[in-house]
Amino acid sequence: MKLFPYKRVKVTEGLYVRVSNHFYHSDFGVRDSGEMRYYGRRYICTGTPGTGFIEHESESHSYHKFVRTHTRLEKPNYWRMLFGKEPSYVKEHQLARTALASAEGGLKRELLDCYVNALSVGRNAEKIERVVRGVKDKMGHKSNKFMVSVISHYKSKLSQLGHDMSAVEFHLKNHYSPEVMEAYNKMVDAFVKVTSCRRIWHQNDKKKGEYLQVFFDLGIFDFIRSESYLPLMRDSDGLMYYILPDSIIVARSSVDFDVKPIKNMTIVSQELAIEETIDQVSSQLGDAASMIRIPELNLTFYFNHVRPIVEFVRTIDNLKELL
């Protein structure tokens, strides 16, 4: 258990610095340095290393509030650290190894195997990043050639670990044909327009047919690498649905998830008639204009736009034809 927010560490001969015991949030393993695809928006960790989402442009106050609930948790907090509520590579590595030991063969086991290896690399990188932060804090605003050289040395180590991380991650482009990846990327581009819908509702049958607002994003799950990130749908029960080229990951947590093939999955869109909206859901949805149903996952989403939804489902159909 961590009792103190800092510890004194010998960085090199003659140099001791205070290194934070708090988890260091960074983009390491998530995207390459300087990457600007999809506007270079913030990566937001959602509680475990290598899992989170890329914040998208939105005029929705509800979405901004949703983002703030996560970004607030990235700020160092002594009580969260003390009670183990901050992200932890050590804890996550133990959970991932346990999940891998009980996982059957197939894609799920392959993903967990990559995740375990990625966590080992990421753990070392996170330690180095905290050391670098400690040296920068000690140096302050005044230039110090010795400390600058120490920082450069550790950044060189980080760069090498970045290559190591890339070698152990699950890269989509290495597991699917160029034709499938081309169709997948078109689907992702269509999904980006769906995320821009100002209002998205999930029909929650567990709560007596309530229609609760949810948010779609581009995300990352267990350090899976994709040039376009993974389409991420959320339901109002807290489940997350990450779309791969041939599967949908139904994630309850970073190590507790199912992999559902999409080849024979029914994914349909429907435009809502004005009278249908008024008669059935107007009191809760108001301006709902279309919907998506995925019966195999017991999912129904409503949207206040039509064209992006129809195009998204069309690109999924095109992708399924190549599987």
Side-chain angles (χ1 to χ4, degrees):
M1 177 184 292
K2 301 174 184 177
L3 294 178
F4 302 101
Y6 293 94
K7 60 183 175 181
R8 190 168 183 264
V9 174
K10 181 179 180 181
V11 176
T12 188
E13 193 64 36
L15 179 61
Y16 290 82
V17 301
R18 288 202 317 166
V19 174
S20 173
N21 281 325
H22 292 284
F23 180 82
Y24 188 89
H25 290 272
S26 75
D27 289 357
F28 182 82
V30 171
R31 55 185 173 188
D32 297 329
S33 177
E35 178 191 277
M36 294 299 293
R37 185 173 175 84
Y38 291 109
Y39 316 111
R41 301 290 292 174
R42 285 187 297 177
Y43 161 67
I44 298 173
C45 177
T46 51
T48 53
T51 295
F53 65 96
I54 307 299
E55 179 189 17
H56 70 261
E57 296 280 0
S58 175
E59 296 180 357
S60 168
H61 294 295
S62 298
Y63 180 72
H64 292 310
K65 181 180 179 181
F66 168 75
V67 171
R68 286 195 298 270
T69 61
H70 289 289
T71 55
R72 278 197 294 265
L73 295 177
E74 293 185 357
K75 297 178 181 179
N77 180 281
Y78 176 74
W79 294 108
R80 286 203 302 270
M81 182 201 75
L82 184 64
F83 292 103
K85 300 298 183 181
E86 290 186 341
S88 167
Y89 273 99
V90 175
K91 181 172 65 176
E92 187 67 9
H93 191 261
Q94 293 173 344
L95 293 173
R97 286 179 62 88
T98 299
L100 177 61
S102 61
E104 298 180 355
L107 182 57
K108 180 177 180 177
R109 183 174 183 83
E110 190 173 2
L111 293 176
L112 283 170
D113 187 40
C114 290
Y115 188 44
V116 167
N117 293 328
L119 287 169
S120 297
V121 178
R123 178 182 178 181
N124 292 328
E126 193 251 352
K127 288 181 180 178
I128 290 176
E129 287 175 315
R130 286 190 283 113
V131 170
V132 170
R133 182 70 266 169
V135 176
K136 287 182 177 180
D137 289 342
K138 187 177 182 70
M139 183 170 63
H141 297 291
K142 296 182 179 180
S143 179
N144 183 302
K145 291 184 178 180
F146 173 61
M147 291 188 186
V148 169
S149 67
V150 171
I151 291 173
S152 297
H153 170 71
Y154 277 100
K155 284 190 173 181
S156 178
K157 286 187 174 182
L158 271 178
S159 179
Q160 181 57 54
L161 286 173
H163 293 297
D164 295 341
M165 175 66 94
S166 181
V168 300
E169 288 178 315
F170 186 94
H171 289 257
L172 295 188
K173 65 181 181 180
N174 296 335
H175 292 79
Y176 303 97
S177 70
E179 294 77 16
V180 169
M181 287 306 303
E182 181 180 359
Y184 178 73
N185 289 331
K186 288 181 180 178
M187 182 272 291
V188 175
D189 288 338
F191 183 83
V192 170
K193 296 179 181 178
V194 175
T195 67
S196 299
C197 291
R198 186 176 177 85
R199 295 183 181 88
I200 304 173
W201 299 270
H202 170 237
Q203 180 178 332
N204 194 321
D205 294 330
K206 296 180 182 178
K207 298 181 180 180
K208 298 181 180 179
E210 289 187 7
Y211 301 87
L212 303 175
Q213 186 175 14
V214 294
F215 307 100
F216 289 5
D217 280 297
L218 293 178
I220 182 169
F221 180 73
D222 288 5
F223 285 116
I224 297 173
R225 287 297 290 268
S226 168
E227 293 181 358
S228 57
Y229 299 106
L230 307 179
L232 165 60
M233 305 182 296
R234 303 178 178 94
D235 70 15
S236 54
D237 289 320
L239 293 181
M240 293 169 288
Y241 303 83
Y242 298 86
I243 306 177
L244 302 183
D246 63 350
S247 312
I248 294 180
I249 296 174
V250 183
R252 291 168 288 277
S253 74
S254 55
V255 296
D256 181 13
F257 60 92
D258 300 318
V259 179
K260 305 290 187 181
I262 66 173
K263 174 64 176 179
N264 298 315
M265 190 176 290
T266 303
I267 304 175
V268 296
S269 63
Q270 178 183 339
E271 182 177 356
L272 299 180
I274 295 178
E275 59 272 14
E276 178 182 6
T277 305
I278 293 175
D279 291 343
Q280 296 184 25
V281 296
S282 61
S283 61
Q284 295 186 53
L285 303 191
D287 56 353
S290 64
M291 64 187 298
I292 287 179
R293 290 189 189 277
I294 310 178
E296 289 84 353
L297 300 179
N298 193 30
L299 284 177
T300 302
F301 293 108
Y302 289 85
F303 307 84
N304 67 327
H305 289 85
V306 176
R307 289 184 180 179
I309 312 309
V310 173
E311 177 63 16
F312 169 57
V313 173
R314 186 189 68 80
T315 57
I316 290 183
D317 290 339
N318 291 342
L319 174 61
K320 287 164 64 177
E321 290 177 0
L322 299 175
L323 300 177

